């Protein structure tokens, strides 16, 4: 009976050690530097979007390395284009801020906005769109794939 208890205890301890080792091997570092402040900012942005009723979407989903004309649609609660708005586009890599790019978009006759940016590398980019009209400013985020 004592041998059985020793074997069971050994198995349980071995599984515990193995679990700890696997957990340490796959542990990810902090994803967000300041999670509390990031959460507060996210809440503020969501509230601003709801209150304004605005929406902004990157229409150009596929781009290439080099100069790109990126189309953006910005609309009010009723779906009408925000023709008098000022729209700033910024692109950044998720892993670094060394390649950040930004440009002011211009409004076209069809109500879409276009910004020209030089993109230096392939991969996923985070596209931040800041829409301002009068005293109100609302931020939006989308992704852009560079081939």
């Amino acid at each position: 009976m004592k041998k059985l208890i020793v074997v069971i205890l050994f198995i349980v301890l071995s599984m515990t050690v193995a679990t700890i080792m696997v957990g340490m091997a796959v542990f990810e570092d902090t994803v967000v530097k300041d999670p509390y402040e990031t959460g507060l900012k996210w809440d503020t942005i969501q509230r601003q979007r709801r209150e304004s009723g605005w929406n902004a979407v990157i229409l150009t989903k596929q781009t290439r390395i080099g100069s790109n004309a990126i189309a953006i649609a910005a609309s009010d609660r009723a779906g009408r284009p925000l023709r008098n708005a000022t729209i700033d586009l910024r692109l950044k890599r998720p892993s670094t801020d060394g390649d950040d790019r930004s440009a002011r978009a211009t409004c076209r006759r069809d109500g879409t906005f276009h910004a020209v940016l030089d993109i230096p590398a392939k991969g996923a980019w985070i596209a931040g769109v800041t829409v301002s009209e009068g005293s109100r400013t609302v931020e939006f985020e989308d992704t852009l794939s560079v081939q």
Side-chain angles (χ1 to χ4, degrees):
M1 184 68 167
K2 287 183 179 180
K3 288 183 180 181
L4 180 61
I5 292 173
V6 170
V7 169
I8 292 173
L9 183 60
F10 178 75
I11 291 172
V12 169
L13 287 174
S14 297
M15 291 175 59
T16 303
V17 169
T19 301
I20 291 170
M21 290 176 64
V22 169
M24 290 174 63
V26 298
F27 175 75
E28 294 182 13
D29 289 333
T30 303
V31 176
V32 177
K33 183 179 177 188
D34 298 312
Y36 180 74
E37 289 79 8
T38 302
L40 290 176
K41 183 178 178 185
W42 188 85
D43 289 342
T44 301
I45 290 170
Q46 297 304 311
R47 182 181 44 76
Q48 290 172 341
R49 289 179 188 173
R50 271 192 317 276
E51 290 173 357
S52 70
W54 295 350
N55 190 31
V57 178
I58 303 283
L59 300 175
T60 307
K61 292 296 182 183
Q62 295 289 326
T63 56
R64 64 190 187 294
I65 293 176
S67 183
N68 289 272
I70 299 171
I72 305 161
S75 57
D76 63 12
R77 194 178 310 276
R80 295 180 302 255
L82 294 171
R83 295 179 187 274
N84 296 323
T86 300
I87 295 186
D88 293 309
L89 173 65
R90 69 192 173 285
L91 295 181
K92 66 179 187 170
R93 300 293 299 248
S95 58
T96 181
D97 57 3
D99 290 329
D100 290 4
R101 302 282 189 260
S102 63
R104 174 140 306 161
T106 56
C107 188
R108 300 280 172 97
R109 289 182 189 199
D110 64 358
T112 61
F113 290 80
H114 292 257
V116 177
L117 284 172
D118 185 48
I119 304 174
K122 292 181 181 181
W125 288 74
I126 298 170
V129 178
T130 303
V131 181
S132 302
E133 188 175 60
S135 63
R136 177 169 272 170
T137 298
V138 181
E139 294 180 34
F140 298 87
E141 197 171 273
D142 206 341
T143 57
L144 195 64
S145 176
V146 179
Q147 303 299 317

